[in-house]
Amino acid sequence: MGAWGQVVHAREWGFSLGEARGRRPTVVVLTALQVEYEAVRRHLTDVREDELPHGTLADVGRVPGLNWDVALVETGPTNTRAALVTQPAIEYFNAAAVLFVGVAGALADDVRLGDVVVARKVYGYHGGRESVDGFAARPDAWEPSHDMDQLVRSARRKHPWAFLSPGAPPAQEPHVHFEPIASGDVLIGSRDSETVRRIRRHYNDAVAVDMESHGITHAARMHRTVRALSIRGISDHADASKAMADAGGSQETASRHAAAFALRVLRDLRPPGPPPREQPRGASVVVVRGPDLDNDSTAWGKRPLVTVDGRDYLLYEGPGDLPHETRDGDVVRRQALARVVSAQGRRDSYAWLRQVQWDGPRAGQGAFDPLAALEEEARLCRAHRGPDVLQLSRSANTVTLALDWPADTALGHPVQTLHALLPERPVPADPMRLWSVVNGLAEVAGALERLGSEGLSHRALHPTALVVNGSRMALRDLGLAAVPPRPGENPGPYQAPEQRYGSGTRPGPATDVYQLGALLHQALTGRLPDPGLPPYRGAPAVPDSLVHAVASALRPAPQARPGARSLRLALLTAARDLSSAPPPRR
């Protein structure tokens, strides 16, 4: 096999990839306004227009990277119109899920323009009884199913803006609020109105207000297997400034953010129940997105299947370097997270694929052989309790190594990486999150200690290089352990001082200690260490033992840093201190 681009002929499956895509389940996405519709529509490819029996028109297409067809419908405003359109759309498309994606007004002061509110509960605020004694609320509320609840919470923790439109990054990253929404047929333009006072009196945990969520959820609840969710971008504060905010483009921004988060939720949504008989068990084509040799980001997306000696893999996308391809002279290196399709008797089995292709002339005896280095990594994994080797394959000019990647048995997905636990901006220290990171990195330090005992080192630690499986953390591979150190290796923000050009010290086990320190610093502060800034001094929720461990690991001189064993023991002490620390004051 010469490249990821080889397409599998589905011998065991009995159908083509095109046929499989034709049978993909459908999600109905509804919007009320044209601006909301366009925010979703720009993500669709292979679009066709479909007319429902009662005349409703839908754009049906797919989103590269998602295992769903998307049927996009514009309903117009009000709950009644939304319900009348939703009901036949669910039946026509046999929808597995329904999402309403649009804008809303904020009722809470801490919800900013551009933030996203996902409805943890939908209140129909018009329900009640009016009498001489005044208005008595008769609440009508809806909540998403447990699996949708968990998907939203998971999507908030993971990189949630992967689908944000290129060329239009937010001025500041939106917050995602998973909170109640009040829904009625009144367009609110004043927070002093009787409607807002009624909402605050009877539904005072609602943080936003809209005009369609109640109708959508009523229609969806008529179908027991249809999951529903309302995802809203905040375009105004439900007050007199609404017209000015709309004129300034707030609806476009809010719609774009809501659409991006909706697609992030769909990326992890699984079809309900067992797959149809004609589909391969567990097959879920997830298109990988990432650079190839020609900087054409669509090349892998067009051909997401890989076969290695008769075993089929379906490539996943992901944050950071999970999909990656580089060229170094005549050497091409590729890597990706994949589902193992043809693993006999294994459900939800995943692999970390690494491949080296060498098209140049072979070097003389004693010279570095990149193909042999990948084979050596497989040997080191077996010898040093590294990731389990699922497959090692060599052809004339290519070696492919497949390492086991744990599965989340509850959600049926590959487990996440440390990337999901690290804050992306400075935030107050969270003792529970810190405990998970510190305890996990202590375990990783133990694995690095075993490598160091043989004079080997990983030298390429970063957030997506560490796999988080429950309370455990492990290396996804052995990094550069089988590659001789060289100046300039591991470029990027986690490069240790001795790895940079011009350094007089050879990278080695002390390099791993520095990179662990950089990850800890990021967990504590939301940023990487910077020699130009003062060193981290700690915070009330952070024990001194952890501050000292980070400072020691980040010393510029490799010989001044602790060894991996000393760092592991220091992190275990810090984890104990974190677990016994009192909760912070609120």
Side-chain angles (χ1 to χ4, degrees), residues 270 281-282 311-314 316 337-352 390 403-408 412-414:
R270 292 168 63 84
R281 180 176 62 184
R311 178 173 287 182
D312 303 327
Y313 298 92
L314 289 85
Y316 263 62
L337 177 59
R339 181 189 293 272
V340 186
V341 174
S342 51
Q344 297 298 321
R346 297 190 67 178
R347 184 172 180 268
D348 293 330
S349 178
Y350 303 94
W352 175 239
L390 300 180
L403 301 174
D404 181 60
W405 188 292
D408 185 323
H413 300 142

Side-chain angles (χ1 to χ4, degrees), residues 280-347:
R281 180 176 62 184
S284 176
V285 178
V286 183
V287 182
V288 69
R289 301 189 308 159
D292 74 347
L293 300 180
D294 299 318
N295 263 340
D296 178 6
S297 61
T298 66
W300 282 5
K302 293 178 181 176
R303 299 174 293 187
L305 287 93
V306 176
T307 187
V308 181
D309 287 348
R311 178 173 287 182
D312 303 327
Y313 298 92
L314 289 85
L315 304 183
Y316 263 62
E317 67 168 2
D321 70 337
L322 289 187
H324 198 56
E325 184 169 355
T326 60
R327 179 185 289 276
D328 183 6
D330 295 321
V331 180
V332 178
R333 292 182 171 87
R334 304 180 178 94
Q335 61 189 34
L337 177 59
R339 181 189 293 272
V340 186
V341 174
S342 51
Q344 297 298 321
R346 297 190 67 178
R347 184 172 180 268

Side-chain angles (χ1 to χ4, degrees), residues 454-490:
E454 300 293 331
L456 302 172
S457 52
H458 189 286
R459 309 195 311 281
L461 297 171
H462 51 82
T464 56
L466 302 176
V467 177
V468 179
N469 188 11
S471 61
R472 307 291 302 274
M473 195 179 297
L475 300 167
R476 74 180 184 192
D477 56 41
L478 298 187
L480 301 176
V483 178
R486 63 174 183 173
E489 68 177 14
N490 187 42

